[in-house]
Structure formats: structure tokens, C-alpha cells
Amino acid sequence: MFITFCYKCLLILVSIKLENVGENFSKVGADSHGFKNLKKVNWNLNRDDIYDITISNGQGLLSKDEVLVVETGIHTGRSANDKFIVKNDLNKDSIWWDNNKSITEENFNNLHEDVLNFCKEKELYVQDLFGGADLDYRLSTRVYTEYAWHSLFIQNLLIEVKEDEKSSFNPEFVIIDIPSFKADTSRHGCSSETLIAVNFEKKLVIIVGTSYAGEIKKSVFSMLNYLLPPKNVMPMHCSVNVGEENDPAIFFGLSGTGKTTLSADPDRILIGDDEHGWSSNGVFNFEGGCYAKMIRLSEKAEPEIYQTTKLRGTILENVVIDKDSGEIDLDDSSLAENTRGAYPLSFIPNASETGRTDIPKNIILLTCDAFGVLPPIAKLSSSQTMYHFLSGYTAKVAGTEKGVTEPEATFSACFGAPFMPRHPSEYGKLLQKLIAKHSVKCWLVNTGWTGGPYGKGERMPIDATRKLLSSALNGSLLSAEMRIDENFGFEVPSFVDGVDTKILNPRDTWEDKEGYDLQAQKLVKMFSDNFDVFKPYVDIDIIDAAPNLQAAE
């Protein structure tokens, strides 16, 4: 008996010795969030340590430039159908339930309990970080991850805690990310073994059944999208940059429209490439890093982003690598079309050190129009801006998703509906007030096709897009001669120095003029049908800013 007792004591002592590695500067332990009997907790490990652990665990490879290359398995993108929000008496009237799925508090509590039990005797990695660069509105965030590289991913993507902030850091929001746990559809109220469960009242998100790291990043965005509007702070799915004349520009856009590419301008300072807030203090980045698409990345067209694929600290997801030479192939989509690179903002040469800037002078709504109908740039009135912001139009193209055989219109309200827990009209009204208060100029930019639809036309030349954007941002486009687009009613420049005049009028780029007219009518009708759900929530001037239905008929 005595020997057995001492042996158990020895095991306990060994367990205590191995329990914590790294620096838990917040002094809030894992037990505070329900974890018990963990084998080991790695606190706020640095980049080199995480590299070593990931390689030794066989969960990643090093490229010849010492970039970490990982695979995410069957999930190579977000699992939009597996995200659920806890519905209760406190939020039943504040969540946009037409767009968000619900689970009960019992479902969530069962999941939380089961995940905590699953983690017993396991090793976890912890990062304590900030979501938001505005000191008045940032969200102290703790992320528990099962995989070491997920810990580096979120360290790259969020804002690190400075030395003089560590003693006062107290995690307000918690994410638990355990990919190997499989959800139970009956017990957890979900639809598959993958589940992203959001509890806004507890400020807790649990992610299971998926290794795609983007779920962690977007969980922070979703939480801020819920918490900030009542504080009169506008959360935005956008990139932001600023020029030497202190002229901040916001670029709204869905994935693939060019937010990251166009904001990474060597002549302007990058504030951030994806998620921001707009408060009375100005515009601020939610993040401290970038999560850029890597598929077919061009060194010539996007040199600032391309060079991050050669910097130690970047994580490349689902990028094909030669295991012998360490060479990566950015053109190979055999693992995924949605290949990604996660890197600190500091890897972009002209990135902001603070993640903050002043009130914006211009707002750009980006769309990738695969129908070849929209002009490369158009000036929007305030009402037109609200119409297109709520519409959130872009287009999927054939081959990018299973089952898509021709251009398919996508309308994602606020250019980020999957991350918007509140009704789009709430974000729209916030933005409308800010635009009016600060007299912000607004533009629609099409980075999609010209001369015909996808398959017949050509992609809008990026050089032309950059020149048009430059003219908009420096103010010279405001004095250009404008025409009124016959289908959409917005103003389109007739001439811009250095840009082929023909490209400014999409109809002129089509050989088949009647084909253009039919395609335009089709797109106008899509806009009209999509906007019907928003009409009860907006004023008549926004309804009147719709495309010209009479022309479409």
C-alpha cells in the first residue's frame, strides 16, 4: 500500500512539473476556463519553438526558405453550414436569425463539457492576444489550440500584448479550438461532426472537427461584429490603407475581389487587409497580420505579398511543397483552390506599426463581376452606396466550386454576411451616418471581367484598376467628365488619363452588343430580387437607388 501511494504521489509531482511551459503573464490559469488534468500547457510560445514542435510532431514541413507549410485535411475553407449561435432570451431579438443557425444553451453546455473531458491528459497551446488596435475598444482574447501551428497562426493574425500591458491583461473572450474532437449531432444540436459554436453572452467560441485555421480568425471577427455596434463602432469586412496626404481609404469586398491585393500598395501605408472597426477615434485594424490567398500568386503583380512566402514565420496552408527540395508551387491547386498564407503585418514593408489611422476620405466597394457588365469604376451617391453595401455583390466563377458550371451571382450583405450576427440594416445605418457626418467619397470598383463574361472576356487589367483607384484616391477623378450608367444609374468616368477609354464603358468592349444588353438585364434583375428582403428596413431613397428595372425590361 505504501509503495503504491508513493508511486501515485510521484506521478502527481511529475504532472505538476510538466504542466506549464512558457509565460502565462495574465496569471489566469486554464482551470479558470474549465480545463482539468491537462498533461501540458504551452503558454505564449514564440515562433521558433512552435516551428520546432510542429516539425517534430510531423504536422508541417519547412520550405527551402524556412516557411512553415501545413495541410488542413478535408476542410480547406470555412464550414459555413456548421456555425451555430446559442439562442436565448437575451439575444433572440438582436441576432439576424434568417442568416444564422441556432443551438440551445443545453447543446452548447454539453459541447463545452464534452470538449473539456476530451482534453484531459492532453497537451494544449495558449496564446493571449488582443483583437482590435483601438485601445478603447480592443478585446482581450485567449485562444486554446490543440495544434501548435494553430497557436502560431493566431499569434500572426492578432495583436500581441506589449511588455507593459502584460501585468494587466485579463482574457475577456475565449476560443477553444480542438480539431480532433468530433461533434455529436444529437447531443450538440449540430448538423455534422464539425461545429463552430458561438456563445455571445459567455464570450466563448468552441471549434471542433476542422483543422482550417481561418475559423479561429473569423471567430474573433464575429464576436467583435456583435459587441461593437451597441458602442456606435462600425465593424467592417474590409482592407484599409492611407497615403502621404493622410487620406485613409476603406476597401470593402468579399473573398477574391482584391481587398488584399489592392490595399498592398507600395505608395500607401497598409493599415490592414481584412477586418477593421470605425470608431470616433478613426479606423483601426482588428488584426496584427494578414491571411492572403496564395493560389497563382504573381511576384510581378503582387510583390509585397509574394515576398512573404520567403520569410520565416509565415504559415502556408495547403500549398504544394516538394518534400525533397523544399520548393513550393503556388500554381498547384491539387490540395486546394483556397491556398492561404498567414503572416504578421510587419512582413509587408510599408505596413502601419499602430494599426490605426484617421477618419477615411474614400470608401471603395469591390466586386468581381464575372458577367462582364459592371464598369471598372463608378462614383456612388450616399444612397447608392447603401444599396450596394447591403447587396454585397460579387460572382463565383466556373471551376472554383463543385457544381458551378457558369458564373453564379453571390450577394453577401455588408460584404461579409457569414460573419454578421446582427441584421445588415444595423450595420448599414451605422455606416450611412458615418459617411454623412464625414462627407466620405464612395466608389464601386469591378475587378472582374470585361469584353464578355467569364470564359469569353478577359480579367480586368490590374494596371488599369490601380490607375483608376489612384485617380479616385487623389481626388482627380472627381473632376472627370462623367456619364450616367444606363443600367445602374451611377456615374462612370468617360476619360481617365492613362486608361483605355473603351474599357470605361463595358458595352463598348463586347463584340456582341445585344449579348451585353441581355447579360446586363439578367444582372439587374438579380440585384432587384435580392434586395426585396431589405426594403422594409431602409428609407425610400435607398430603394430608389436600385438599378434601372425599366431598362432591364
Short mmCIF file of all heavy atoms in Angstrom, two decimals, residues 78 80-85 95-102 222 225 411-414 416-424 427 533-534:
data_model
loop_
_atom_site.label_atom_id
_atom_site.label_comp_id
_atom_site.label_asym_id
_atom_site.label_seq_id
_atom_site.Cartn_x
_atom_site.Cartn_y
_atom_site.Cartn_z
N ARG A 78 -13.76 27.69 -44.84
CA ARG A 78 -14.71 27.77 -43.73
C ARG A 78 -15.87 26.79 -43.93
O ARG A 78 -16.32 26.56 -45.04
CB ARG A 78 -15.26 29.18 -43.59
CG ARG A 78 -14.28 30.22 -43.10
CD ARG A 78 -14.95 31.56 -42.94
NE ARG A 78 -15.56 32.02 -44.18
CZ ARG A 78 -16.86 31.93 -44.45
NH1 ARG A 78 -17.69 31.40 -43.58
NH2 ARG A 78 -17.33 32.38 -45.60
N ALA A 80 -19.27 27.02 -43.41
CA ALA A 80 -20.34 27.99 -43.12
C ALA A 80 -21.59 27.31 -42.57
O ALA A 80 -22.29 27.88 -41.71
CB ALA A 80 -20.67 28.77 -44.38
N ASN A 81 -21.88 26.10 -43.03
CA ASN A 81 -23.09 25.42 -42.58
C ASN A 81 -22.95 24.79 -41.21
O ASN A 81 -23.92 24.24 -40.67
CB ASN A 81 -23.48 24.33 -43.60
CG ASN A 81 -23.92 24.92 -44.93
OD1 ASN A 81 -24.50 26.00 -44.97
ND2 ASN A 81 -23.63 24.21 -46.01
N ASP A 82 -21.76 24.86 -40.64
CA ASP A 82 -21.52 24.25 -39.33
C ASP A 82 -21.30 25.27 -38.22
O ASP A 82 -20.84 24.93 -37.14
CB ASP A 82 -20.30 23.32 -39.41
CG ASP A 82 -20.55 22.13 -40.32
OD1 ASP A 82 -21.58 21.46 -40.14
OD2 ASP A 82 -19.72 21.89 -41.23
N LYS A 83 -21.65 26.51 -38.51
CA LYS A 83 -21.53 27.55 -37.49
C LYS A 83 -22.90 27.78 -36.84
O LYS A 83 -23.89 28.00 -37.53
CB LYS A 83 -21.03 28.85 -38.11
CG LYS A 83 -20.87 29.99 -37.11
CD LYS A 83 -20.38 31.26 -37.80
CE LYS A 83 -20.29 32.43 -36.83
NZ LYS A 83 -19.83 33.66 -37.49
N PHE A 84 -22.94 27.75 -35.51
CA PHE A 84 -24.19 27.89 -34.76
C PHE A 84 -24.01 28.88 -33.61
O PHE A 84 -22.94 28.92 -32.98
CB PHE A 84 -24.63 26.54 -34.19
CG PHE A 84 -25.09 25.55 -35.23
CD1 PHE A 84 -24.16 24.84 -35.99
CD2 PHE A 84 -26.44 25.33 -35.45
CE1 PHE A 84 -24.57 23.93 -36.95
CE2 PHE A 84 -26.86 24.41 -36.41
CZ PHE A 84 -25.93 23.71 -37.15
N ILE A 85 -25.04 29.65 -33.35
CA ILE A 85 -25.04 30.64 -32.26
C ILE A 85 -26.04 30.20 -31.20
O ILE A 85 -27.16 29.78 -31.52
CB ILE A 85 -25.41 32.03 -32.79
CG1 ILE A 85 -24.36 32.53 -33.79
CG2 ILE A 85 -25.55 33.04 -31.64
CD1 ILE A 85 -24.74 33.82 -34.49
N ILE A 95 -30.19 39.02 -32.91
CA ILE A 95 -29.45 38.25 -33.90
C ILE A 95 -30.25 38.15 -35.20
O ILE A 95 -31.48 38.03 -35.19
CB ILE A 95 -29.13 36.83 -33.38
CG1 ILE A 95 -28.32 36.90 -32.08
CG2 ILE A 95 -28.38 36.01 -34.42
CD1 ILE A 95 -26.94 37.48 -32.22
N TRP A 96 -29.55 38.19 -36.31
CA TRP A 96 -30.15 38.04 -37.63
C TRP A 96 -30.33 36.54 -37.89
O TRP A 96 -29.52 35.90 -38.53
CB TRP A 96 -29.23 38.68 -38.67
CG TRP A 96 -29.70 38.65 -40.08
CD1 TRP A 96 -30.98 38.56 -40.55
CD2 TRP A 96 -28.86 38.71 -41.25
NE1 TRP A 96 -31.00 38.55 -41.92
CE2 TRP A 96 -29.72 38.66 -42.37
CE3 TRP A 96 -27.48 38.83 -41.44
CZ2 TRP A 96 -29.22 38.70 -43.68
CZ3 TRP A 96 -26.99 38.87 -42.73
CH2 TRP A 96 -27.85 38.81 -43.84
N TRP A 97 -31.44 35.99 -37.37
CA TRP A 97 -31.63 34.55 -37.41
C TRP A 97 -31.91 34.02 -38.81
O TRP A 97 -31.75 32.82 -39.07
CB TRP A 97 -32.74 34.13 -36.44
CG TRP A 97 -32.36 34.35 -35.01
CD1 TRP A 97 -32.93 35.21 -34.13
CD2 TRP A 97 -31.30 33.70 -34.29
NE1 TRP A 97 -32.29 35.15 -32.90
CE2 TRP A 97 -31.28 34.23 -32.98
CE3 TRP A 97 -30.35 32.73 -34.63
CZ2 TRP A 97 -30.38 33.81 -32.01
CZ3 TRP A 97 -29.45 32.31 -33.66
CH2 TRP A 97 -29.46 32.85 -32.39
N ASP A 98 -32.33 34.87 -39.74
CA ASP A 98 -32.51 34.41 -41.12
C ASP A 98 -31.18 34.00 -41.74
O ASP A 98 -31.14 33.25 -42.73
CB ASP A 98 -33.14 35.52 -41.98
CG ASP A 98 -34.59 35.77 -41.61
OD1 ASP A 98 -35.20 34.90 -40.97
OD2 ASP A 98 -35.11 36.85 -41.96
N ASN A 99 -30.10 34.49 -41.17
CA ASN A 99 -28.76 34.25 -41.71
C ASN A 99 -27.91 33.37 -40.81
O ASN A 99 -26.86 32.90 -41.22
CB ASN A 99 -28.05 35.60 -41.94
CG ASN A 99 -26.68 35.46 -42.56
OD1 ASN A 99 -26.55 35.04 -43.69
ND2 ASN A 99 -25.64 35.82 -41.80
N ASN A 100 -28.34 33.17 -39.57
CA ASN A 100 -27.55 32.43 -38.59
C ASN A 100 -28.34 31.26 -38.01
O ASN A 100 -29.53 31.39 -37.73
CB ASN A 100 -27.11 33.37 -37.46
CG ASN A 100 -26.14 34.43 -37.92
OD1 ASN A 100 -24.95 34.16 -38.11
ND2 ASN A 100 -26.62 35.65 -38.12
N LYS A 101 -27.66 30.13 -37.82
CA LYS A 101 -28.28 28.95 -37.23
C LYS A 101 -28.16 29.01 -35.71
O LYS A 101 -27.20 29.57 -35.17
CB LYS A 101 -27.61 27.69 -37.76
CG LYS A 101 -27.76 27.48 -39.26
CD LYS A 101 -27.09 26.19 -39.67
CE LYS A 101 -27.27 25.92 -41.15
NZ LYS A 101 -26.63 24.64 -41.56
N SER A 102 -29.12 28.39 -35.04
CA SER A 102 -29.12 28.44 -33.58
C SER A 102 -28.97 27.06 -32.96
O SER A 102 -29.37 26.04 -33.54
CB SER A 102 -30.42 29.08 -33.07
OG SER A 102 -31.53 28.24 -33.33
N SER A 222 -16.44 37.70 -35.74
CA SER A 222 -17.86 37.54 -35.41
C SER A 222 -18.18 38.12 -34.03
O SER A 222 -19.20 38.78 -33.84
CB SER A 222 -18.26 36.07 -35.46
OG SER A 222 -18.18 35.56 -36.77
N ASN A 225 -18.12 41.83 -34.25
CA ASN A 225 -19.29 42.28 -35.01
C ASN A 225 -20.55 42.32 -34.15
O ASN A 225 -21.50 43.05 -34.46
CB ASN A 225 -19.54 41.34 -36.20
CG ASN A 225 -18.60 41.63 -37.36
OD1 ASN A 225 -18.07 42.72 -37.48
ND2 ASN A 225 -18.38 40.64 -38.20
N PHE A 411 -24.65 37.29 -53.45
CA PHE A 411 -24.95 38.51 -52.71
C PHE A 411 -24.73 38.23 -51.22
O PHE A 411 -25.41 37.39 -50.63
CB PHE A 411 -26.40 38.95 -52.96
CG PHE A 411 -26.65 39.39 -54.36
CD1 PHE A 411 -27.08 38.49 -55.34
CD2 PHE A 411 -26.46 40.72 -54.74
CE1 PHE A 411 -27.31 38.90 -56.63
CE2 PHE A 411 -26.68 41.13 -56.04
CZ PHE A 411 -27.11 40.22 -57.00
N SER A 412 -23.76 38.90 -50.65
CA SER A 412 -23.43 38.70 -49.24
C SER A 412 -23.50 40.05 -48.55
O SER A 412 -22.61 40.90 -48.70
CB SER A 412 -22.02 38.10 -49.10
OG SER A 412 -21.72 37.80 -47.76
N ALA A 413 -24.58 40.28 -47.81
CA ALA A 413 -24.85 41.59 -47.20
C ALA A 413 -23.65 42.11 -46.43
O ALA A 413 -22.97 41.37 -45.73
CB ALA A 413 -26.06 41.49 -46.28
N CYS A 414 -23.40 43.41 -46.60
CA CYS A 414 -22.29 44.09 -45.91
C CYS A 414 -20.93 43.53 -46.33
O CYS A 414 -19.94 43.74 -45.64
CB CYS A 414 -22.44 44.02 -44.39
SG CYS A 414 -24.06 44.52 -43.78
N GLY A 416 -19.94 40.61 -46.13
CA GLY A 416 -19.44 39.68 -45.12
C GLY A 416 -20.55 39.04 -44.31
O GLY A 416 -20.41 38.88 -43.10
N ALA A 417 -21.65 38.65 -44.95
CA ALA A 417 -22.82 38.12 -44.23
C ALA A 417 -22.51 36.96 -43.30
O ALA A 417 -23.08 36.87 -42.21
CB ALA A 417 -23.91 37.72 -45.23
N PRO A 418 -21.60 36.02 -43.66
CA PRO A 418 -21.35 34.89 -42.76
C PRO A 418 -20.83 35.30 -41.38
O PRO A 418 -20.91 34.51 -40.45
CB PRO A 418 -20.29 34.08 -43.53
CG PRO A 418 -20.48 34.44 -44.95
CD PRO A 418 -20.86 35.89 -44.93
N PHE A 419 -20.31 36.52 -41.27
CA PHE A 419 -19.71 36.95 -40.01
C PHE A 419 -20.56 38.01 -39.30
O PHE A 419 -20.13 38.59 -38.31
CB PHE A 419 -18.30 37.50 -40.26
CG PHE A 419 -17.56 36.78 -41.36
CD1 PHE A 419 -17.21 37.41 -42.53
CD2 PHE A 419 -17.26 35.43 -41.22
CE1 PHE A 419 -16.56 36.74 -43.56
CE2 PHE A 419 -16.61 34.74 -42.24
CZ PHE A 419 -16.26 35.40 -43.40
N MET A 420 -21.75 38.28 -39.86
CA MET A 420 -22.60 39.34 -39.32
C MET A 420 -23.72 38.76 -38.47
O MET A 420 -24.71 38.28 -39.01
CB MET A 420 -23.19 40.18 -40.47
CG MET A 420 -22.15 40.81 -41.38
SD MET A 420 -21.11 41.99 -40.50
CE MET A 420 -19.79 42.26 -41.70
N PRO A 421 -23.58 38.78 -37.15
CA PRO A 421 -24.66 38.23 -36.32
C PRO A 421 -25.89 39.13 -36.27
O PRO A 421 -27.00 38.65 -36.07
CB PRO A 421 -24.00 38.10 -34.94
CG PRO A 421 -22.88 39.09 -34.95
CD PRO A 421 -22.40 39.16 -36.36
N ARG A 422 -25.71 40.44 -36.45
CA ARG A 422 -26.83 41.37 -36.39
C ARG A 422 -27.41 41.59 -37.78
O ARG A 422 -26.79 41.25 -38.79
CB ARG A 422 -26.38 42.70 -35.78
CG ARG A 422 -25.89 42.56 -34.34
CD ARG A 422 -25.42 43.88 -33.77
NE ARG A 422 -24.94 43.73 -32.39
CZ ARG A 422 -25.72 43.76 -31.32
NH1 ARG A 422 -27.02 43.97 -31.46
NH2 ARG A 422 -25.22 43.60 -30.12
N HIS A 423 -28.60 42.17 -37.84
CA HIS A 423 -29.23 42.39 -39.13
C HIS A 423 -28.41 43.40 -39.95
O HIS A 423 -27.88 44.37 -39.40
CB HIS A 423 -30.66 42.93 -38.94
CG HIS A 423 -31.47 42.89 -40.19
ND1 HIS A 423 -31.42 43.88 -41.15
CD2 HIS A 423 -32.33 41.95 -40.67
CE1 HIS A 423 -32.22 43.57 -42.15
NE2 HIS A 423 -32.80 42.41 -41.89
N PRO A 424 -28.28 43.18 -41.26
CA PRO A 424 -27.47 44.08 -42.10
C PRO A 424 -27.88 45.54 -41.98
O PRO A 424 -27.02 46.43 -42.10
CB PRO A 424 -27.71 43.55 -43.51
CG PRO A 424 -28.06 42.12 -43.33
CD PRO A 424 -28.80 42.04 -42.03
N TYR A 427 -25.84 47.50 -39.40
CA TYR A 427 -24.51 47.93 -39.86
C TYR A 427 -24.64 49.02 -40.92
O TYR A 427 -23.85 49.97 -40.94
CB TYR A 427 -23.74 46.73 -40.43
CG TYR A 427 -23.58 45.59 -39.46
CD1 TYR A 427 -24.34 44.43 -39.60
CD2 TYR A 427 -22.68 45.65 -38.40
CE1 TYR A 427 -24.20 43.37 -38.71
CE2 TYR A 427 -22.53 44.60 -37.51
CZ TYR A 427 -23.31 43.46 -37.67
OH TYR A 427 -23.18 42.41 -36.79
N VAL A 533 -35.70 41.68 -49.65
CA VAL A 533 -35.73 41.39 -48.21
C VAL A 533 -35.30 42.59 -47.36
O VAL A 533 -35.59 42.64 -46.16
CB VAL A 533 -34.84 40.18 -47.86
CG1 VAL A 533 -35.35 38.93 -48.55
CG2 VAL A 533 -33.38 40.44 -48.24
N PHE A 534 -34.60 43.57 -47.99
CA PHE A 534 -34.12 44.72 -47.23
C PHE A 534 -35.06 45.92 -47.28
O PHE A 534 -34.91 46.86 -46.49
CB PHE A 534 -32.73 45.15 -47.74
CG PHE A 534 -31.68 44.10 -47.61
CD1 PHE A 534 -31.00 43.62 -48.72
CD2 PHE A 534 -31.36 43.57 -46.36
CE1 PHE A 534 -30.04 42.64 -48.60
CE2 PHE A 534 -30.39 42.58 -46.23
CZ PHE A 534 -29.73 42.12 -47.35
#
